[in-house]
Structures are given as structure tokens and as C-alpha cells.
Amino acid sequence: MPSWFGKLQKVACDVLQPRQIIIVGFMGTGKSSVGQELARILARRFVDLDDLIAQREGRSPGEIIEQDGESRFRELETKALGELLDSPDAQVIAAGGGAWASAENRELINSSKAFTVWLAAPFKLCWKRIKAGKEFRPLARSRDEAQRLYAARRPTYHLAAARVPVSDGENPGAIAEKIVELIAPKRA
Ligand code: S3P
């Protein structure tokens, strides 16, 4: 790792601590893999909100939505998110694609002073990954359904504190480094 990057890493840690970092963005933008890389760089714990809910419920988010309805899943999501935001240790949190779309969750996140980063990937790339992925995503069963959701949520993603463009073939580590570069100058 070059020394200039080590300095950026240190500045990013100073700027953020102890704020939580929340990675938001549509399904298929790579929130979990980028979040893991970012947590590694910043030496923080990584938490995947969907995995946390799945562990608690013994079912995947997709199964919860399918069996109990989306609103039940959103209740569980808001509860788990609130608990993570209350936690005293600084974490990198990958939120599910719909978490930031909820005004209640945005309020929780913003009032906790967490730092939000939107992984902005074009719809075509998201859909390619959704289609290829093994995850069960009942809210994106068809291209049309996913595209409508993408368009409806896009204005809310613009409300995140920072935006990092994501393109096909970019590796998660490189995207995480871009996030660090973007955070560090905010110290000035
Ligand atoms: C959802 C996205 C999923 C998961 C759930 C609902 C959404 O997470 O939380 O199926 O509403 O966009 P990913 O964004 O990780 O696929």
C-alpha cells in the first residue's frame, strides 16, 4: 500500500470516528463486498444488515418478504438498524437496497450522525447482477419491476452524504479506496 494512501486512511479514520458508515444503494451495487473492503481498510467491524436480520429470524430477507410481507420485513429492518446505530463501536454497515428508501430509517441514520455513501451503479449493471445472483429477491422478480423500483428510489439515494459511481468490472477494494479518498478531504 503506498504511503500516501496510509495517510488518507488515517485522516479518514480521524474524520469519521466514532460515526457509523452506512453503505446504501440499489440491489446488485456491491454494498456487502465494498463494505467488507472498507471495513478492512479502516480497521472496523463490518455488519451486513440483511445477514443480521437473517440470523435473528432464521430466514433470508427474501423469505421474510415472501412469507410475512414486505412491511414485516421493513419493521425488522428498522429495528435492527436502530440497534446498530446505537452501538458504541464504529462499524461499516451494508444496508439492504430498500433501507435508505424509508424516511424513518433516513431520519434514524441522520440523527445518529452516521456517514452515508451511495454506491451509484447504472440499472443495467444492477439487473445483470440481480439476474446472475443466487439471492432470492422477491421485489425484483422481473426486469420491469426492478427498473420501476430503481427509478422510484433513485431520488432518495441522492440524499446520501456521498456518492461513488460503480461500473462493471471494478473491484470492491478499488471502490472502497475511492470512498476513503472521498472521506479524507472532508476534514478541511
Ligand atoms: C431489498 C434488498 C435486499 C434485501 C431485501 C429487500 C430491497 O438487499 O434487503 O430483499 O428492498 O431493495 P440487497 O440490496 O442486498 O439485495
Side-chain angles (χ1 to χ4, degrees), residues 20-26 28-39 44-54 61 73 77 80-81 84-85 90-100 105 109 114-119 135 137 179:
Q20 310 294 24
I21 304 173
I22 323 275
I23 317 269
V24 304
F26 200 66
T29 49
K31 300 178 293 291
S32 302
S33 38
V34 171
Q36 279 171 33
E37 289 299 318
L38 184 62
R44 285 175 169 225
R45 193 156 79 88
F46 170 73
V47 184
D48 184 300
L49 186 59
D50 280 344
D51 287 351
L52 180 66
I53 298 166
F73 172 68
E77 188 177 51
L81 177 66
L84 287 179
L85 292 170
Q91 302 158 346
V92 175
I93 301 165
W100 180 249
N105 292 347
I109 291 171
F115 182 79
T116 47
V117 187
W118 167 32
L119 296 190
E135 263 172 72
R137 287 167 162 131
I179 298 175

Side-chain angles (χ1 to χ4, degrees), residues 119-149:
L119 296 190
F123 176 73
K124 217 173 141 188
L125 175 58
C126 296
W127 179 243
K128 181 178 153 186
R129 291 179 178 168
I130 292 169
K131 239 182 6 177
K134 281 184 262 108
E135 263 172 72
F136 173 46
R137 287 167 162 131
L139 301 179
R141 286 184 205 268
S142 70
R143 193 181 197 283
D144 279 0
E145 190 181 17
Q147 192 154 22
R148 274 196 298 274
L149 202 55

Side-chain angles (χ1 to χ4, degrees), residues 58-71:
R59 294 175 292 168
S60 72
E63 286 168 336
I64 300 169
I65 293 171
E66 181 84 343
Q67 293 162 8
D68 301 352
E70 184 181 350
S71 58

